[in-house]
Amino acid sequence: MLTNRSKVVVKKEMNFWERIYLPAILGGIIITIKHLFRRKATVRYPETKRYISDIWRGEHVLKRDEHGAERCTACGLCAVACPAEAITMTAAERKKGEEGLYREEKYASVYEINMLRCIFCGLCEEACPKEAIFLTNRIVTTDYDRESFIYGKDKLVEPVDNRIDVTVRQTQAVQEFKQHKSFSHNR
Amino acid sequence: MAKLTIDGVEVEVPDGTSILNAARQIGGALVPPAMCYYSSLKETGGKCRVCLVKVAQGSTKDPRPMPKLVASCRTPVGDGMVVQNLTSPEVLEARKGVVEFLLLNHPLDCPICDQAGECDLQNLAYEHGASTTRYEGERRTFEKIDIGDKIKLHMTRCILCYRCTYVADQLTNERVHGVIGRGDRAEISTYIQKAVDNDFSGNMIDVCPVGALTDRTFRFKSRVWFTDPKDAHRNCTKCSGKVVLWMKGDEVLRVTARKDQYGEVKEYICNECRFEHKKVSDWTVEGPRHIDRHSVIAQNHYEKIDLQKLKKEVERQLEFQRGKQLPENEIHS
């Protein structure tokens, strides 16, 4: 009785008009016809696509820095922040000569997100101290088997020649912070 | 015996006890933090200045306050002494300043550092420090040094607490490393990378409050909060053999000595236990290690709970539900 909308069921004999059901059927038909002239709730995908917000939380991306080196250092903060425990990683040490590939002396040799477990809450993005992981406005594509939803670095790391712009996702404070080139974080 | 009050709590300790140890007898939040003092190593303390407290009254005989804040780890107690730690805004302000000084040259590489999650400096900065730095100069940097094939020295991260040199002095028979240089040029010297191969040299990893000395066999293997710490022991002729195994699945990633609530090792372990025995079959596993629930390592960490304590906790919560103030917590410490 929280909403006061519950009705007490009364078991009384139906009268003649109720028993022939015609008024009830007509009422139903009127509702159906009304809906024909309403705006449609669906779109004809894939011919038309719905507008997706810039800050939509969709498929993840592992960013590279300006020089093309991977930003992720496998610190594990995203994995510990993840409420669905979808993220796993293995760290490795950067060798001499790989400075262009990885930004810090440690990097993720394996980085996997299970897209079936992921609830797209964006806590990994929030936890990341290196601006490495972002959610994007891309939708995770469908597939036939479960294994293919475990996204590895091959799918997550952005290609060097096809960068994904995430500046719209960053707050003003972050944008301001990034102006200071003297901070070691921005170098 | 001397009777003193710390933050309004009275405690009686033998003469000659330091204020810090007197506070530890009371326990709880009023214990000053310590970065360089180490109870099981002699002569430590007095370097990091984190444990500064205010002595509002020297003793009953001489009730004058001490002119400056004193390092509680090095100052002996007096009868009738009145000490202020958390109750003095002056102390908190000074401690904040000390943390800022400690962090001047400390790199912000916690995402890379293996100590992250169990680092004393991290905890200290989180509790007492400011979140930003005012320092604009270049931080000092050093090359990484391998001390032997088991220990890595990141001099950049060192806060010069000197604990490891006391380990070398007091635990190993032949001192092979110390500190060279003075002031901001001081650094841990390893006798020009001469390997430290004493039986107890591995303990300098445990005593290091920051990630300056880390285990090379554990380097980048896993973050500590993804490992599962378990108490274990084995019969060892050289040491007590009581250790903590940091496991992942059935794999032993790291072996360390057992640290108490202040992060101090009471029973040191030998290098054989620490580095050579990385199989579960080498050890008698006692059960999960007790981890403070405020620690990030307590994530996904389950311990057996004392039923008596659990009963007390349930009663405590019931008390709370009746609208009274939450009584002092005992179960989670």
Side-chain angles (χ1 to χ4, degrees):
Chain A
M1 290 293 270
L2 280 172
T3 54
N4 284 332
R5 288 211 313 241
S6 60
K7 281 179 194 158
V8 184
V9 180
V10 186
K11 268 200 169 178
K12 70 167 178 41
E13 280 277 297
M14 285 194 283
N15 59 27
F16 173 73
W17 287 107
E18 277 167 353
R19 247 176 306 158
I20 61 167
Y21 288 110
L22 266 178
I25 289 170
L26 275 175
I29 288 172
I30 289 167
I31 289 174
T32 312
I33 291 168
K34 254 197 233 164
H35 275 272
L36 279 180
F37 301 101
R38 289 234 182 116
R39 202 167 64 90
K40 286 189 189 77
T42 51
V43 294
R44 288 191 157 270
Y45 187 84
E47 286 86 33
T48 47
K49 281 177 183 162
R50 268 190 202 288
Y51 167 71
I52 290 180
S53 161
D54 287 335
I55 52 167
W56 170 275
R57 298 195 299 268
E59 187 183 327
H60 310 66
V61 63
L62 283 174
K63 293 289 290 177
R64 294 172 185 273
D65 66 1
E66 301 86 75
H67 314 295
E70 282 174 25
R71 299 190 75 107
C72 177
T73 72
C75 71
L77 288 182
C78 49
V80 80
C82 182
E85 298 189 358
I87 306 177
T88 51
M89 66 187 71
T90 311
E93 189 167 0
R94 181 180 68 186
K95 292 187 189 68
K96 272 225 168 75
E98 293 182 331
E99 281 81 0
L101 288 176
Y102 311 109
R103 202 174 143 89
E104 313 270 348
E105 61 176 298
K106 187 173 80 162
Y107 68 94
S109 58
V110 177
Y111 190 104
E112 287 178 343
I113 301 180
N114 188 338
M115 291 297 176
L116 293 175
R117 296 200 74 150
C118 180
I119 57 168
F120 301 97
C121 62
L123 287 184
C124 49
E125 183 179 20
E126 220 168 283
C128 185
K130 293 286 175 188
E131 292 181 73
I133 190 163
F134 284 96
L135 276 69
T136 60
N137 57 358
R138 300 172 297 170
I139 289 176
V140 177
T141 47
T142 52
D143 214 321
Y144 292 103
D145 54 340
R146 286 173 176 270
E147 281 71 40
S148 53
F149 283 101
I150 299 173
Y151 279 27
K153 273 180 78 177
D154 52 329
K155 283 185 184 168
L156 292 171
V157 181
E158 62 173 351
V160 189
D161 48 0
N162 185 19
R163 298 301 189 84
I164 292 156
D165 186 31
V166 289
T167 43
V168 282
R169 309 181 70 83
Q170 293 172 326
T171 58
Q172 288 237 300
V174 173
Q175 302 280 15
E176 211 277 320
F177 177 82
K178 285 179 81 74
Q179 299 298 314
H180 302 278
K181 288 292 169 204
S182 62
F183 292 159
S184 60
H185 180 90
N186 296 332
R187 256 176 264 152
Chain B
M1 298 294 270
K3 217 178 222 175
L4 72 156
T5 53
I6 303 172
D7 280 354
V9 185
E10 215 165 78
V11 66
E12 202 173 340
V13 289
D15 289 318
T17 317
S18 65
I19 299 175
L20 182 75
N21 277 329
R24 283 187 180 184
Q25 282 203 10
I26 305 170
L30 61 81
V31 183
M35 297 297 287
C36 64
Y37 173 75
Y38 212 72
S39 53
S40 49
L41 293 171
K42 275 172 270 162
E43 309 278 302
T44 50
K47 296 187 177 64
C48 66
R49 318 308 290 180
V50 158
C51 63
L52 289 179
V53 290
K54 188 181 182 183
V55 178
Q57 183 183 323
S59 62
T60 340
K61 269 187 214 155
D62 182 10
R64 287 176 303 168
M66 288 195 185
K68 292 179 187 174
L69 303 179
V70 294
S72 61
C73 62
R74 285 292 222 178
T75 313
V77 298
D79 195 28
M81 191 182 250
V82 176
V83 180
Q84 292 178 340
N85 176 24
L86 293 178
T87 45
S88 158
E90 196 185 339
V91 168
L92 296 179
E93 183 67 29
R95 197 167 287 156
K96 205 170 161 185
V98 170
V99 176
E100 196 174 345
F101 270 125
L102 286 180
L103 291 173
L104 275 193
N105 277 312
H106 194 81
L108 234 175
D109 63 352
C110 303
I112 301 165
C113 181
D114 274 333
Q115 190 87 0
E118 52 178 12
C119 175
D120 291 345
L121 188 60
Q122 223 177 6
N123 296 344
L124 186 76
Y126 188 75
E127 269 173 54
H128 300 280
S131 57
T132 52
T133 178
R134 290 175 288 176
Y135 186 59
E136 283 171 358
E138 279 285 313
R139 289 187 157 98
R140 57 179 204 161
T141 48
F142 295 89
E143 287 288 307
K144 282 163 283 230
I145 301 169
D146 294 337
I147 310 179
D149 57 344
K150 299 293 198 302
I151 305 171
K152 192 128 194 156
L153 169 63
H154 281 249
M155 193 52 220
T156 322
R157 293 175 188 155
C158 179
I159 57 163
L160 293 169
C161 69
Y162 287 61
R163 278 177 183 178
C164 58
T165 62
Y166 286 107
V167 167
D169 253 352
Q170 293 168 23
L171 289 183
T172 61
N173 17 3
E174 212 180 319
R175 177 173 167 153
V176 278
H177 81 297
V179 173
I180 52 166
R182 298 182 63 177
D184 69 335
R185 291 202 179 80
E187 63 174 295
I188 305 291
S189 132
T190 54
Y191 232 105
I192 316 168
Q193 300 176 24
K194 185 180 168 184
V196 183
D197 50 3
N198 286 291
D199 265 345
F200 283 83
S201 64
N203 286 300
M204 65 170 104
I205 300 169
D206 281 348
V207 299
C208 186
V210 292
L213 290 159
T214 45
D215 192 336
R216 280 190 72 193
T217 59
F218 181 61
R219 189 167 164 78
F220 300 161
K221 280 273 176 67
S222 171
R223 317 276 18 227
V224 278
W225 55 84
F226 295 133
T227 58
D228 185 18
K230 284 197 166 87
D231 279 332
H233 65 266
R234 68 181 272 270
N235 287 328
C236 180
T237 48
K238 292 181 210 146
C239 64
S240 69
K242 288 180 184 163
V243 299
V244 183
L245 303 181
W246 299 80
M247 323 238 308
K248 202 169 190 180
D250 288 333
E251 202 183 344
V252 178
L253 293 181
R254 179 174 71 154
V255 182
T256 65
R258 294 181 189 177
K259 291 182 181 178
D260 66 2
Q261 52 178 323
Y262 302 112
E264 291 171 7
V265 174
K266 289 286 186 309
E267 289 177 288
Y268 293 98
I269 60 168
C270 63
N271 281 5
E272 195 196 330
C273 287
R274 186 185 299 271
F275 298 124
E276 311 295 335
H277 295 278
K278 297 255 170 135
K279 265 184 274 164
V280 201
S281 51
D282 295 341
W283 300 93
T284 319
V285 178
E286 293 160 25
R289 171 100 191 131
H290 173 64
I291 299 289
D292 187 299
R293 81 187 166 102
H294 301 290
S295 166
V296 67
I297 306 173
Q299 281 263 336
N300 282 337
H301 180 73
Y302 301 99
E303 298 168 27
K304 232 183 207 163
I305 201 161
D306 188 358
L307 282 178
Q308 286 296 321
K309 276 188 178 174
L310 182 69
K311 195 172 159 233
K312 265 190 190 164
E313 171 69 11
V314 171
E315 278 163 10
R316 196 178 74 94
Q317 295 287 349
L318 284 176
E319 193 97 319
F320 178 62
Q321 294 229 324
R322 281 186 216 114
K324 288 179 192 163
Q325 210 196 341
L326 196 63
E328 194 61 31
N329 191 338
E330 276 182 38
I331 204 156
H332 300 128
S333 52

